Amino acid sequence: MRARGDPFNFLSQHQDRYNFATCGAVMVEVLQGIRSPQALTDLESKFEQMIYLPTDKSTWQLIQKTSPGLLRAGLPTAMPDLIIAGCAIAADATVFTYDSDFDQIPDLKVIHSFA
């Protein structure tokens, strides 16, 4: 987050064209590194305004089906990334990320910019 600035400022520039969603794994990854109590409160408030994608049983089943294939293909994927991908696939959502690892996940729609 530090290297690219506040992602919510960037996303707010595109909120007229997109509905942004989050899931627990995204929230934990973003919030765990925040040191300032005020910044933490501000970010939590911004996450509260987003659509929340749950990690339910069907999402876990999707992850369980996806992970072994990635491993067999020599593409081990971190659990948080699998959770984010599972939530997005289950919701037919697209992941906006700078992380090219998401490109390896079957059936996941990924964009790297809003150009």
Side-chain angles (χ1 to χ4, degrees):
M1 185 166 131
R2 286 184 222 123
R4 301 193 196 275
D6 181 349
F8 290 100
N9 289 338
F10 177 78
L11 294 177
S12 69
Q13 298 171 25
H14 303 280
Q15 65 187 2
D16 58 325
R17 294 177 33 216
Y18 300 96
N19 292 315
F20 293 103
T22 191
C23 68
V26 171
M27 293 169 61
V28 169
E29 283 199 335
V30 171
L31 298 176
Q32 70 184 349
I34 304 301
R35 295 185 183 120
S36 160
Q38 184 59 50
L40 180 62
T41 300
D42 291 346
L43 287 172
E44 287 172 333
S45 174
K46 290 175 181 176
F47 273 122
E48 285 296 321
Q49 297 172 30
M50 297 177 79
I51 299 165
Y52 183 80
L53 303 177
T55 311
D56 57 18
K57 184 177 181 178
S58 64
T59 303
W60 287 111
Q61 290 170 333
L62 180 61
I63 293 166
Q64 289 169 342
K65 290 177 183 174
T66 303
S67 181
L70 290 168
L71 288 171
R72 281 192 299 277
L75 302 169
T77 306
M79 183 57 66
D81 292 353
L82 289 170
I83 296 169
I84 293 165
C87 290
I89 293 168
D92 194 29
T94 301
V95 172
F96 172 72
T97 182
Y98 296 111
D99 184 345
S100 61
D101 290 347
F102 284 95
D103 295 330
Q104 309 171 92
I105 300 174
D107 302 320
L108 179 64
K109 296 179 284 188
V110 179
I111 57 173
H112 298 285
S113 74
F114 290 113

